[in-house]
Amino acid sequence: MFRSASFQLYNADCRQEIKNLAPNSIDFIVTDPPYFIDGMDNHWDDQKLKKKSAKSGVIGGLPVGMKFDRSQGECLQKFLEPLCNEFYRVLKPGGFCVVFSQGRLYHRTAMSLDLAGFEIRDLLAWKYEGQAKAFSQTHFIKKDKNLSEKEKQQLIEELDGMKTPQLKPQIEPMTLGQKPKEGTFVENWQKYQVGLVDTKETLNGMFPGTLMDVPKSVRQRETDAKIEHLTVKPVLLISHLIKLFTRKGQIVLDPFTGSGSHGVAALQNNRRFIGFEIEKRYYDIADERLNKQLHANKIQQTQRVMLRLPAQKPFEKNKNHQIDFT
Ligand SMILES: C[S@@+](CC[C@H](N)C(=O)[O-])C[C@H]1O[C@@H](n2cnc3c(N)ncnc32)[C@H](O)[C@@H]1O
């Protein structure tokens, strides 16, 4: 566990650790839980996942993200429901909660928040360019022992261009939930300073919208270090969400911290951060990134203070001049 005035990071299972947070103590939750697809569940095994995706993006014989299994959604909802009850307990009245999801599992996330008592305020979406994962049936037709060569050829021609039901992914959905406010928006604001959205915050100079266009490539520009995590979110995207839904000094919680992007975004914007991460390797990455950001913040603060000091007389030009440190 690491504690500073600006952030607290715990190498822990969030299902247990969140119980230690006081009711009505958190201003905003923004989190990206495991989606229960392709082994990215609560038994997330980094080494196993890496080996699988290294094999030309194929997991269990099917391209990453395309294996369809009804139980995935059921497992996700079972996992999320008790957690959403905790999200509800720890958030301040009127506080917002943004949970990332996936097109075919979105309803499970939204229902988990809904059942916990959240008002489902909107569907937000991160717009990015994903990879098309649909594939043709030619390979299976050719292997089918019950078809003659002529029938195979006919079927292949008939199914020209026909692929499995995956259009090219271009959005990652997020559920925007709000804990019911106390009284009017203004009354709730006066008591808790949450519940309204800062519409002066913008990604593109326009009124903030539900579709957030942040290219995945910005991640490379955000850090010089290579981050060893499979699902790193762009800091720019999370910064935008944090600035929309919180004010300076408020507390942001991410129970599934991963590599720490949400924490970096919180610190960059002078918010405080609480994070939980179950995998020690990811916890270490997040810890390093957060400490680096804290250090950068301190340098910035010092520079700001120095800029406010009255201008110093420049040193006289003298070859023999020595600066005295005593
Ligand atoms: C989708 S990733 C989050 C990535 C993160 N948004 C980032 O930008 O790096 C989900 C993370 O949740 C962690 N995780 C899974 N189950 C957990 C649990 N019960 N408690 C805490 N962390 C968990 C995984 O190890 C993984 O790093």
Side-chain angles (χ1 to χ4, degrees), residues 206-249:
M206 314 279 277
F207 194 91
T210 51
L211 188 64
M212 298 167 189
D213 191 353
V214 177
K216 271 188 176 176
S217 56
V218 299
R219 286 187 310 206
Q220 274 100 58
R221 274 180 270 138
E222 287 173 349
T223 172
D224 24 342
K226 187 172 175 335
I227 301 169
E228 294 283 340
H229 193 288
L230 286 167
T231 62
V232 180
K233 286 281 177 289
V235 173
L236 178 66
L237 172 70
I238 309 299
S239 271
H240 178 58
L241 291 165
I242 286 175
K243 287 191 272 182
L244 282 175
F245 298 114
T246 63
R247 291 165 73 78
K248 283 189 181 163

Side-chain angles (χ1 to χ4, degrees), residues 131-263:
Q131 246 188 338
K133 288 168 184 160
F135 66 98
S136 99
Q137 298 300 293
T138 305
H139 172 73
F140 300 104
I141 297 170
K142 281 185 180 167
K143 278 182 126 186
D144 193 333
K145 291 188 179 115
N146 298 316
L147 297 172
S148 69
E149 286 307 313
K150 196 175 166 205
E151 283 170 326
K152 285 181 188 175
Q153 208 41 50
Q154 269 175 356
L155 206 48
I156 289 170
E157 278 167 29
E158 188 182 328
L159 294 186
D160 182 35
M162 305 298 282
K163 296 199 171 181
T164 49
Q166 282 94 27
L167 299 180
K168 186 171 141 161
Q170 288 175 303
I171 60 155
E172 189 161 313
M174 301 165 242
T175 311
L176 173 65
Q178 183 173 30
K179 182 165 169 176
K181 54 190 168 25
E182 288 179 6
T184 65
F185 281 108
V186 175
E187 283 163 353
N188 193 85
W189 181 266
Q190 286 176 309
K191 205 161 168 194
Y192 300 107
Q193 282 78 54
V194 289
L196 292 166
V197 180
D198 185 355
T199 61
K200 292 194 292 306
E201 163 57 18
T202 173
L203 271 177
N204 53 9
M206 314 279 277
F207 194 91
T210 51
L211 188 64
M212 298 167 189
D213 191 353
V214 177
K216 271 188 176 176
S217 56
V218 299
R219 286 187 310 206
Q220 274 100 58
R221 274 180 270 138
E222 287 173 349
T223 172
D224 24 342
K226 187 172 175 335
I227 301 169
E228 294 283 340
H229 193 288
L230 286 167
T231 62
V232 180
K233 286 281 177 289
V235 173
L236 178 66
L237 172 70
I238 309 299
S239 271
H240 178 58
L241 291 165
I242 286 175
K243 287 191 272 182
L244 282 175
F245 298 114
T246 63
R247 291 165 73 78
K248 283 189 181 163
Q250 289 191 322
I251 301 178
V252 176
L253 169 69
D254 179 8
F256 298 97
T257 298
S259 70
S261 308
H262 303 205

Side-chain angles (χ1 to χ4, degrees), residues 95-143:
F96 294 103
C97 175
V98 172
V99 184
F100 280 86
S101 188
Q102 212 249 6
R104 60 191 159 99
L105 297 167
Y106 174 83
H107 57 299
R108 298 281 181 180
T109 309
M111 271 314 288
S112 306
L113 287 164
D114 192 328
L115 290 170
F118 282 97
E119 293 167 357
I120 305 302
R121 284 281 172 179
D122 222 324
L123 158 71
L124 311 180
W126 171 32
K127 183 179 179 309
Y128 69 92
E129 287 305 312
Q131 246 188 338
K133 288 168 184 160
F135 66 98
S136 99
Q137 298 300 293
T138 305
H139 172 73
F140 300 104
I141 297 170
K142 281 185 180 167
K143 278 182 126 186

Side-chain angles (χ1 to χ4, degrees), residues 16 20 28 30 33 42 56 66 112 134 170 233 252 258 263 266 304:
Q16 295 310 315
N20 297 326
F28 180 48
V30 56
N42 51 330
S56 63
M66 84 141 293
S112 306
Q170 288 175 303
K233 286 281 177 289
V252 176
R304 260 186 248 125

